[in-house]
Amino acid sequence: MSFASLGLSDPILKAVAEQGYDTPSPIQLQAIPVVLSGQDLMAAAQTGTGKTAGFTLPILERLSQGGPVAPNKVRALVLTPTRELAAQVGESVSLYGQHLSLSSAIVFGGVKINPQLMALRKGVDVLVATPGRLMDLYNQNAVRFDQLEVLVLDEADRMLDMGFIRDIKRIMALLPAKRQTLLFSATFSTEIRALAKGLLKAPVEVSVTPSNATAPTVTQWISPVDKNRKAPLLCKLIHEGKWQQVLVFTRTKHGANKLTKQLEANHITAIAIHGNKSQNARTKALADFKAGEVRVLVATDIAARGLDIDLLPHVVNFDLPHVPEDYVHRIGRTGRAGQVGQAVSLVCADELDQLKAIEKVTKKLLERKIVSGFEPVHPLPETQLNAPSHAKKNTRSRRPPQRSGHRDGVRSGDLARGHKAH
């Protein structure tokens, strides 16, 4: 089936073709007709499945058939949990809408607020925003929602994890009751269904990925190692394996900074990306990594969620995540679009409960490979799939609450980037 058969107009089809796409992905095949019909949608889809185009294309189609937007008003609002994801969604809106007379803007943390105020003054057809900063804009009378037609909650599960539920509820109270609402989440957890029940009206449900499934193209293995030997082991794997592009996950921002210094000391170019970095620094770090100028990108979960890196060959879990589902999201950075990838986890004895929880969620025992010279002094006990796991019980409570003033991972400031289609 082609994009043309889905009911998209020539300007959008031209933009899609210019990006090199000719066949819709499974999520696009299911989501686009629903969005075009005006129905509410609840979709289970992870990053890398083509979900962004799944809602961007039909929204642009619908907006292109309507009237002009009024000053300081928006016709479609896309809420995202992180600045990186907002930037990527905004880029998709610009690319796919380049042959339409529609405007768009992105607002999120990291830079001065004046550019966003200017971008919103004339009104925008599509606004991509993070929740906290959107509320700041509303409180400054920079944006109003009475012309809103479509709302998208992208990666809604991550927004709940990051403590945005209060902001989301405040935003919902400001929106017209008569609107189309689209919710995208990696999984349909109990919390997500509870959120959806209050926001969506008789939604169509679609799902393209089995719950917590990992891509068959990703080779997964763990290396049991003592905690204080993880950094030297990672250096050995990178050097001896001649790994040229590696995404490494740490549990904390401090850990990311520390590991980056250890890699650099071992002649491995590395850079950290996390919430304490300025937006400009994070954007430059990602660009340098994609361009091959930096060999290793060290990231925390929040900073890396939604990163779109083509043909990424290696993902390393330097620390196992406390939330087992995050393991699936992490290794989903590699092995995308049918490409092969390798996911390696460096696991110490203290992380046994996290390992059990991950294997329970993914329904597979991870292969173990002890690297010569790094045999652990504190052995990692064997695991089995039917063994009880205690790691998942309180995982949500282990996440620190988002404090006021630190929404979107920054203290204040916002970026607004406007786009007017040619």
Side-chain angles (χ1 to χ4, degrees):
M1 185 176 284
S2 67
F3 282 101
S5 66
L6 295 177
L8 300 172
S9 59
D10 288 341
I12 294 178
L13 293 175
K14 181 180 179 182
V16 170
E18 288 172 350
Q19 297 307 309
Y21 300 115
D22 53 17
T23 305
S25 69
I27 185 62
Q28 292 161 4
L29 281 173
Q30 295 187 59
I32 290 175
V34 176
V35 180
L36 289 176
S37 73
Q39 295 173 278
D40 284 5
L41 173 67
M42 187 172 174
Q46 297 182 11
T47 301
T49 59
K51 68 177 174 67
T52 302
F55 63 79
T56 300
L57 296 177
I59 286 176
L60 290 171
E61 181 67 39
R62 293 194 63 196
L63 295 181
S64 69
Q65 300 170 14
V69 65
N72 293 106
K73 304 293 179 63
V74 297
R75 298 175 62 203
L77 172 65
V78 183
L79 291 178
T80 71
T82 66
R83 299 175 291 190
E84 285 75 21
L85 183 57
Q88 289 173 22
V89 172
E91 183 180 13
S92 293
V93 172
S94 296
L95 287 173
Y96 295 131
Q98 61 184 307
H99 302 302
L100 299 168
S101 297
L102 297 173
S103 59
S104 64
I106 312 167
V107 293
F108 54 83
V111 299
K112 295 179 180 179
I113 199 168
N114 286 339
Q116 72 182 14
L117 296 172
M118 295 294 292
L120 292 170
R121 186 168 295 172
K122 293 182 179 180
V124 293
D125 292 291
V126 183
L127 178 63
V128 185
T130 46
R133 297 309 297 160
L134 182 66
M135 286 304 302
D136 291 341
L137 285 167
Y138 179 84
N139 292 333
Q140 293 194 40
N141 294 316
V143 62
R144 287 295 179 264
F145 304 110
D146 47 292
Q147 202 178 344
L148 188 81
E149 301 172 37
V150 186
L151 167 70
V152 181
L153 295 177
D154 195 10
E155 296 199 358
D157 52 333
R158 180 59 53 167
M159 281 198 270
L160 295 187
D161 284 345
M162 292 174 65
F164 286 132
I165 184 63
R166 291 180 65 187
D167 279 337
I168 292 173
K169 288 184 176 179
R170 288 193 189 105
I171 293 168
M172 296 307 114
L174 302 173
L175 304 183
K178 186 179 180 181
R179 67 172 190 269
Q180 182 180 29
T181 304
L182 317 174
L183 184 149
F184 286 79
S185 174
T187 58
F188 288 160
S189 64
T190 303
E191 295 85 357
I192 287 295
R193 289 197 176 277
L195 175 66
K197 187 175 181 180
L199 300 181
L200 285 74
K201 298 175 182 177
V204 176
E205 284 194 22
V206 301
S207 179
V208 296
T209 305
S211 179
N212 299 319
T214 54
T217 54
V218 179
T219 301
Q220 304 171 57
W221 57 278
I222 66 173
S223 182
V225 61
D226 290 328
K227 187 174 184 178
N228 63 352
R229 297 282 284 157
K230 284 188 177 186
L233 173 56
L234 178 59
C235 292
K236 176 184 176 72
L237 292 173
I238 292 172
H239 279 308
E240 294 192 357
K242 295 183 171 56
W243 296 354
Q244 295 303 315
Q245 193 178 44
V246 192
L247 176 59
V248 179
F249 285 96
T250 60
R251 194 176 297 134
T252 66
K253 292 173 280 193
H254 171 73
N257 291 334
K258 181 180 178 181
L259 178 58
T260 298
K261 292 177 181 178
Q262 292 171 307
L263 291 168
E264 290 280 358
N266 281 273
H267 311 291
I268 298 171
T269 54
I271 195 162
I273 180 171
H274 52 66
N276 283 359
K277 297 277 187 175
S278 71
Q279 182 57 39
N280 289 339
R282 293 163 75 170
T283 301
K284 185 178 187 303
L286 182 58
D288 289 347
F289 181 63
K290 286 184 174 182
E293 296 175 16
V294 172
R295 200 169 177 181
V296 179
L297 183 65
V298 185
T300 55
D301 283 304
I302 288 176
R305 183 63 178 255
L307 288 184
D308 191 4
I309 304 166
D310 291 334
L311 307 179
L312 178 64
H314 298 98
V315 170
V316 176
N317 292 298
F318 190 81
D319 302 312
L320 289 185
H322 278 309
V323 180
E325 289 85 358
D326 282 348
Y327 173 83
V328 179
H329 299 313
R330 287 180 176 190
I331 72 170
R333 305 303 96 213
T334 186
R336 298 166 70 170
Q339 300 294 323
V340 296
Q342 188 171 182
V344 183
S345 299
L346 311 184
V347 186
C348 65
D350 291 343
E351 296 173 300
L352 178 62
D353 281 348
Q354 284 77 33
L355 175 61
K356 288 179 179 178
I358 288 167
E359 292 180 331
K360 182 178 180 181
V361 162
T362 60
K363 296 181 174 60
K364 67 183 298 182
L365 290 175
L366 296 174
E367 180 185 0
R368 300 184 179 208
K369 299 180 183 179
I370 294 180
V371 177
S372 178
F374 290 87
E375 295 83 358
V377 174
H378 305 285
L380 181 67
E382 294 296 324
T383 56
Q384 57 190 63
L385 286 181
N386 60 357
S389 172
H390 305 290
K392 197 179 177 183
K393 285 185 179 178
N394 298 310
T395 51
R396 298 297 172 191
S397 63
R398 295 189 197 184
R399 288 187 182 276
Q402 296 294 307
R403 296 166 54 191
S404 176
H406 288 72
R407 293 173 297 187
D408 310 338
V410 294
R411 291 183 181 273
S412 63
D414 239 79
L415 169 68
R417 186 176 71 197
H419 166 77
K420 189 71 176 178
H422 302 295

